[in-house]
Amino acid sequence: MKVCGLLSGGKDSNYAFYMALREGAEVSCIASAAPAREDSWMFHRPLVEFVKLQAEAMGFGDRYHTIGVSGVKESEVSELREGLRKLKAMYGFDTITVGGIASRYQYERFRAIAEDLGVKVYDPQWGMDPEEYMKELVRKGVVFVISQITTEGLDMRMLGVPVQELSQVEEILRLSRRYGFHPAFEGGEAETFVVMAPHFKKGICLRASREKIAEYQYVLSVSSAQLCDDVAISVDSEVYHVFRRRDELASTAFRSSSS
């Protein structure tokens, strides 16, 4: 399959793209929807401006595109469709990768977009048990930070800490059971940003601070982000190091439709 990866910066879209690469997909392009509004119904907003770094970390920065959308319900879906239509004319992909787990709202709209464009949807984690999925992310070496919290039960101090150990996932799952939020944050209770993954040739270093917006609402305010070999996340007065992990795909050269 020739894919255009839809990346938000978060764990789910990056996992889907990674799994497509594992299956031998050719990369035509990478695109991210950048909503003008913070309260987009459809799209992830926090740190979307740094998705280009993820594309560069994979070696696909030359085919990365941002699709600006209004963030207005339903209008933003049409805007994404038209942006992807232009990219399909440029690159000729036959599949889009998306990172949905259980959201019917997103699933149905991505399916409708794909049908209109005459392409397929690749969504490998759709319907997975969310607790097992969170553990699978760590096992595969997808390292992410929580970039925003909007629910009771997740402590502000969790912002910016690289999630790379099963013990960290178990703590999130414990809190999920206690407070009732979705264990993989599918309800928008938290947003994430991937700083290292098996298909990244480099990682992403961040310098940031934690900010409280309201009760149970906190954000990671990033002042700088850059590619790096040894990933370190600096948050306020603390520095967290990422231990690089790779699976069997690491030594495999990824294919691209321009090669």
Side-chain angles (χ1 to χ4, degrees):
M1 57 185 168
K2 296 174 65 175
V3 303
C4 187
L6 297 187
L7 297 187
S8 67
K11 58 182 173 54
D12 304 332
S13 60
N14 271 278
Y15 176 84
F17 189 69
Y18 166 56
M19 293 302 288
L21 291 176
R22 282 174 57 101
E23 291 195 17
E26 295 183 8
V27 178
S28 295
C29 58
I30 295 175
S32 57
R37 293 167 56 118
E38 296 286 343
D39 58 348
S40 165
W41 280 72
M42 183 78 173
F43 304 112
H44 174 122
R45 178 66 182 86
L47 306 190
V48 70
E49 63 270 28
F50 299 122
V51 177
K52 184 177 182 181
L53 281 178
Q54 294 179 338
E56 292 174 350
M58 302 173 204
F60 302 128
D62 60 336
R63 65 205 69 183
Y64 170 77
H65 299 267
T66 301
I67 299 173
V69 298
S70 63
V72 177
K73 188 177 181 180
E74 300 304 343
S75 294
E76 61 186 356
V77 179
S78 298
E79 292 156 359
L80 176 65
R81 179 189 296 111
E82 294 313 304
L84 287 174
R85 194 186 305 280
K86 293 176 182 178
L87 291 181
K88 187 187 177 191
M90 292 171 58
Y91 293 102
F93 57 83
D94 57 33
T95 304
I96 56 174
T97 69
V98 300
I101 303 171
S103 171
R104 278 285 169 191
Y105 182 87
Q106 289 184 333
Y107 183 83
E108 291 172 359
R109 282 153 183 79
F110 279 129
R111 289 287 176 183
I113 289 173
E115 182 176 353
D116 189 54
L117 297 179
V119 302
K120 298 178 181 179
V121 173
Y122 181 81
D123 189 358
Q125 65 266 57
W126 177 259
M128 282 183 65
D129 175 83
E131 293 197 0
E132 182 57 33
Y133 168 65
M134 290 291 281
K135 296 174 185 177
E136 179 73 0
L137 289 169
V138 170
R139 294 188 188 109
K140 284 286 191 294
V142 178
V143 181
F144 61 89
V145 299
I146 296 175
S147 58
Q148 179 173 289
I149 294 170
T150 56
T151 184
E152 181 182 9
L154 294 174
D155 194 285
M156 179 179 179
R157 290 172 295 180
M158 298 174 78
L159 289 171
V161 180
V163 178
Q164 55 186 330
E165 302 289 347
L166 282 174
S167 60
Q168 293 172 286
V169 171
E170 291 289 359
E171 176 63 9
I172 291 171
L173 300 183
R174 183 187 69 81
L175 294 171
S176 169
R177 298 182 197 110
R178 178 178 178 184
Y179 291 96
F181 60 82
H182 191 279
F185 314 139
E186 184 76 346
E189 300 94 340
E191 303 289 358
T192 63
F193 184 81
V194 173
V195 295
M196 175 54 73
H199 57 302
F200 283 20
K201 299 176 181 178
K202 285 183 174 290
I204 300 173
C205 288
L206 302 177
R207 183 174 295 275
S209 60
R210 302 180 179 102
E211 295 183 11
K212 180 176 180 179
I213 305 301
E215 186 176 23
Y216 309 134
Q217 185 175 354
Y218 317 102
V219 297
L220 185 70
S221 179
V222 175
S223 57
S224 69
Q226 61 185 22
L227 297 180
C228 53
D229 291 319
D230 298 314
V231 182
I233 312 298
S234 176
V235 186
D236 297 326
S237 60
E238 302 163 303
V239 178
Y240 305 94
H241 294 277
V242 170
F243 303 100
R244 191 179 183 95
R245 289 193 180 126
R246 290 185 171 275
D247 71 359
E248 66 274 13
L249 184 65
S251 61
T252 303
F254 304 138
R255 297 189 301 157
S256 68
S257 55
S258 65
S259 61

